[in-house]
Amino acid sequence: ERCTSVDKSHVIPTTPLVIFLEKVQEAALQSYGHKGFDPKLYVDMSLKHNLSLTVEAFNKLSRSLNGSISAHDLDVFIGKYLGVVDEDLVYVEPVDYVAEPEGFLPKVKNSEVRTWALEVHSLWKNLSRKVSDKVLEKPEFYTLLPLKNPVIIPGSRFREVYYWDSYWVIRGLLASKMYETAKGIVTNLFSLIDQFGYVLNGSRAYYSNRSQPPVLAAMIVEIYNRTGDLDLVKGSLPALLKEYHFWNSGVHKVTIQDAQGSNHSLSRYYAMWNKPRPESSTIDGETASKLPNICGKKQLYRDLASAAESGWDFSSRWMRNQSDLTTTSTTSILPVDLNAFLLKMELDIAFLANLVGESSIVAHFTEASQNRQKAMNCILWNTEMGQWLDYWLGNSNTSEDIYKWEDLHQNKKSFASNFVPLWAELLNSDDITTQKVVQSLKSSGLIQPAGIAMTLSNTGQQWDFPNGWPPLQHIIIEGLSRSGLEEARALAEDIAVRWIRTNYVAYKKTGAMHEKYDVTKCGAYGGGGEYVPQTGFGWANGVVLALLEEFGWPEDLKIDCY
Ligand SMILES: OC[C@H]1O[C@H](O[C@H]2O[C@H](CO)[C@@H](O)[C@H](O)[C@H]2O)[C@H](O)[C@@H](O)[C@@H]1O
């Protein structure tokens, strides 16, 4: 069957090792069954012998009539030929960790909260890793990518560095005064840009077909604000310029004509992949089996991987029919958050370039930010709702691939992402619009007893109601509090208190920090999606520490749920 050219092109091939481990993953599902099965475990395994010998041994395993290998035979094969996970990334004590850093969270006066914050701070030690020498010696035996400096992992099944998670990890490290660790993390990300042209979703070979929300420039700004390190700033610019190009060219770039006939450029998520995600290959295969033809399947695989690129995997936000994952159409959407992140990137690059006297870069990025601001206001802003809205791309009706704006194509549903432009300081000095956005957030239904819900649809997907995720809490809280409006700052503080409380109570109940929380109940962690809830957890820790640093906690404020 012939698919459109775009289905076939824009694919970055994966490695032979990943392809083989996907076969092991498939065999493991057949042999061990669905119960407790995590497909990612298999693509994180390493080789003990070279690949051809291993493949030969795997192909010789005896199979039953339906092609399955007995659980015993597979156990023996894995034990003999494959390395267990965690051998590739080994524990390392962070060089700048001290049990109680000087000047730690000065505004936290309540002793119970202070004790807990110090425990959260101590979790950096649990999550600190470095790439083992074995990976450096034989990279072809591992799916983990070599990185020079120590890393902080999110935790549990996420045994590698993640791109956008790293921003909130760094915010927490800065509150913990761990500047060297923070700098090491961004230097690692530069090396990925050097090699691939963009920061990968995560530091595994199977993540090389996509990125994640672009927040590297924001990391550099935060580190610079604390350390004044101009060498870091200077060294970051070539990487940031390369990353900027990635997001604003080729398949990521979309031209759209507004109602007045002016053309604008905005960006979308677009994974360079049209097969099942290797880390969830068996699951994607099952999802796509509901579709009748190969072209539809390829498009769905791309759209699922693109949802992973957005960081929102998965959500009704990307679906044409919210109860049907096969209708995920991420690449047909101009997302508010991606464009707000890119606007922030433009402003951040201009700020950084100014610090090191690169005036032509300053001029270029200041102009780019003005253009994007204009584009976002023409295409994504909705005055009646007081929100920016995701935009559904219809068919481009000109030969130059230019889409024509139509009011009906704005997605009128309220998502937490609709408020990300607050963080990009899009509203700087415009109090009337800020007020409108604050009212809109207040009446959106997204603010719940324990934080902000991602959407209002309860679909069972993990980026839907009733889940609230740490990055979006922080982005919206910080956006509100930096807007300069008294009412917005008060709302920011109110949400921060709810979020800190729920993290604290869940920690006391379960002994762990969680990747996501159920925002309808104070003290409850989140669920849904394709894997069991994870603990650890890099960005949850970072957000709590950053919020406690900003807002503090008075002596007499109760930390328990009401
Ligand atoms: O294995 C399934 C998916 O897992 C990751 O996504 C989730 O965890 C990440 C790490 O905390 C986080 O960045 C992301 O927002 C979460 O949805 C991974 O990033 C996906 O690519 C992967 O398919």
Side-chain angles (χ1 to χ4, degrees):
E1 197 170 340
R2 279 186 179 277
C3 306
T4 62
S5 60
V6 91
D7 290 330
K8 279 185 274 176
S9 57
H10 312 304
V11 169
I12 292 188
T14 190
T15 64
L17 174 57
V18 170
I19 294 169
F20 169 66
L21 292 174
E22 277 184 79
K23 291 200 178 109
V24 177
Q25 178 192 109
E26 201 180 314
L29 179 60
Q30 281 188 325
S31 307
Y32 305 137
H34 278 93
K35 197 162 176 267
F37 182 75
D38 185 349
K40 181 173 181 297
L41 180 74
Y42 300 92
V43 288
D44 290 355
M45 287 177 173
S46 55
L47 294 176
K48 285 184 179 159
H49 309 277
N50 70 45
L51 183 60
S52 49
L53 204 111
T54 310
V55 172
E56 205 183 306
F58 181 73
N59 289 342
K60 278 191 191 146
L61 292 174
S62 56
R63 288 161 199 266
S64 67
L65 279 179
N66 70 1
S68 71
I69 301 163
S70 78
H72 172 265
D73 286 359
L74 192 59
D75 281 347
V76 173
F77 169 80
I78 290 177
K80 191 162 171 201
Y81 287 94
L82 299 179
V84 290
V85 293
D86 289 342
E87 264 176 21
D88 45 9
L89 209 53
V90 294
Y91 179 75
V92 63
E93 174 91 14
V95 286
D96 44 5
Y97 175 83
V98 291
E100 182 154 9
E102 218 183 299
F104 180 65
L105 308 185
K107 295 193 217 160
V108 176
K109 305 294 181 202
N110 179 300
S111 59
E112 227 177 316
V113 178
R114 205 170 172 79
T115 308
W116 170 57
L118 281 166
E119 277 175 42
V120 173
H121 158 74
S122 77
L123 296 175
W124 297 131
K125 282 205 302 182
N126 298 0
L127 300 173
S128 169
R129 301 280 187 283
K130 69 169 186 158
V131 176
S132 148
D133 290 343
K134 293 190 207 163
V135 179
L136 304 177
E137 280 154 26
K138 285 194 167 149
E140 70 283 8
F141 275 31
Y142 298 86
T143 60
L144 188 77
L145 301 174
L147 292 171
K148 217 172 97 226
N149 300 306
V151 301
I152 298 286
I153 56 167
S156 306
R157 78 194 285 270
F158 298 115
R159 300 170 278 259
E160 52 278 318
V161 168
Y162 282 79
Y163 180 12
W164 77 319
D165 296 53
S166 297
Y167 175 82
W168 289 278
V169 164
I170 284 174
R171 291 298 299 261
L173 290 172
L174 295 177
S176 287
K177 320 279 180 196
M178 294 169 67
Y179 306 133
E180 279 319 297
T181 304
K183 284 182 197 175
I185 292 174
V186 292
T187 312
N188 284 337
L189 302 183
F190 298 160
S191 74
L192 292 175
I193 296 181
D194 257 1
Q195 197 182 337
F196 298 92
Y198 47 93
V199 184
L200 310 193
N201 178 153
S203 60
R204 294 260 174 201
Y206 54 76
Y207 282 140
S208 67
N209 55 59
R210 59 180 183 265
S211 185
Q212 257 196 336
V215 282
L216 179 60
M219 298 182 207
I220 313 294
V221 168
E222 293 299 330
I223 298 175
Y224 168 77
N225 286 341
R226 295 299 174 102
T227 63
D229 187 340
L230 281 173
D231 287 339
L232 178 76
V233 171
K234 216 178 202 139
S236 72
L237 284 177
L240 293 178
L241 298 187
K242 211 163 168 187
E243 187 192 29
Y244 184 78
H245 177 74
F246 168 77
W247 284 106
N248 292 286
S249 60
V251 286
H252 289 103
K253 181 179 155 183
V254 173
T255 307
I256 179 157
Q257 194 168 86
D258 67 21
Q260 281 70 44
S262 301
N263 286 349
H264 303 274
S265 277
L266 287 168
S267 298
R268 62 173 159 186
Y269 291 109
Y270 201 106
M272 295 157 292
W273 192 241
N274 61 5
K275 297 195 182 76
R277 290 163 302 148
E279 74 283 12
S280 301
S281 180
T282 44
I283 302 176
D284 285 0
E286 233 167 272
T287 307
S289 68
K290 293 166 198 142
L291 296 180
N293 68 64
I294 185 74
C295 299
K297 285 182 208 249
K298 282 186 175 178
Q299 186 58 47
L300 175 61
Y301 291 140
R302 189 187 294 283
D303 281 311
L304 291 173
S306 302
E309 182 169 69
S310 81
W312 287 47
D313 44 303
F314 295 108
S315 171
S316 58
R317 190 181 159 203
W318 309 122
M319 299 182 211
R320 293 187 193 273
N321 165 359
Q322 64 170 44
S323 51
D324 183 356
L325 188 60
T326 67
T327 65
T328 296
S329 309
T330 322
T331 57
S332 302
I333 294 171
L334 288 176
V336 171
D337 48 358
L338 174 60
N339 286 287
F341 290 133
L342 291 171
L343 171 61
K344 183 158 167 52
M345 188 199 276
E346 286 153 355
L347 295 168
D348 287 341
I349 293 179
F351 169 79
L352 295 167
N354 187 42
L355 291 172
V356 292
E358 291 283 0
S359 50
S360 62
I361 300 183
V362 177
H364 180 82
F365 280 88
T366 306
E367 194 187 332
S369 73
Q370 288 158 353
N371 289 340
R372 191 176 306 269
Q373 195 153 338
K374 218 183 284 160
M376 289 179 71
N377 284 336
C378 290
I379 308 297
L380 308 178
W381 173 248
N382 183 295
T383 310
E384 287 84 67
M385 284 183 69
Q387 296 178 26
W388 293 265
L389 301 174
D390 285 347
Y391 184 85
W392 282 100
L393 293 167
N395 295 325
S396 72
N397 38 12
T398 69
S399 52
E400 301 91 46
D401 254 1
I402 297 175
Y403 295 84
K404 274 211 158 90
W405 186 84
E406 282 178 56
D407 168 47
L408 274 175
H409 287 197
Q410 284 192 329
N411 186 342
K412 308 280 180 330
K413 289 187 187 150
S414 285
F415 305 131
S417 45
N418 295 358
F419 298 92
V420 173
L422 283 170
W423 194 54
E425 288 165 51
L426 192 63
L427 297 174
N428 243 348
S429 77
D430 180 359
D431 282 0
I432 295 173
T433 316
T434 314
Q435 216 138 30
K436 201 170 201 166
V437 177
V438 171
Q439 287 320 316
S440 173
L441 174 61
K442 278 185 171 169
S443 59
S444 66
L446 293 170
I447 302 181
Q448 292 288 317
I452 303 168
M454 298 300 97
T455 73
L456 297 172
S457 308
N458 193 338
T459 62
Q461 298 301 338
Q462 63 168 352
W463 283 83
D464 269 323
F465 194 87
N467 285 345
W469 288 74
L472 271 293
Q473 312 298 317
H474 184 257
I475 285 174
I476 295 175
I477 292 169
E478 192 159 88
L480 288 169
S481 84
R482 285 183 179 173
S483 71
L485 210 73
E486 198 49 48
E487 187 190 353
R489 168 85 190 174
L491 180 61
E493 187 154 1
D494 176 40
I495 301 168
V497 167
R498 293 171 196 224
W499 186 255
I500 294 167
R501 242 185 209 131
T502 204
N503 278 241
Y504 172 83
V505 175
Y507 181 86
K508 287 290 161 188
K509 279 204 292 213
T510 63
M513 295 292 287
H514 298 263
E515 65 166 345
K516 53 187 180 266
Y517 292 83
D518 172 348
V519 289
T520 61
K521 299 179 213 103
C522 181
Y525 59 83
E530 67 180 30
Y531 55 82
V532 295
Q534 303 295 299
T535 58
F537 197 91
W539 60 16
N541 309 352
V543 167
V544 157
L545 293 175
L547 293 179
L548 284 173
E549 185 172 57
E550 171 72 19
F551 296 99
W553 199 277
E555 181 71 66
D556 55 353
L557 182 64
K558 232 167 75 82
I559 181 72
D560 297 312
C561 300
Y562 285 116

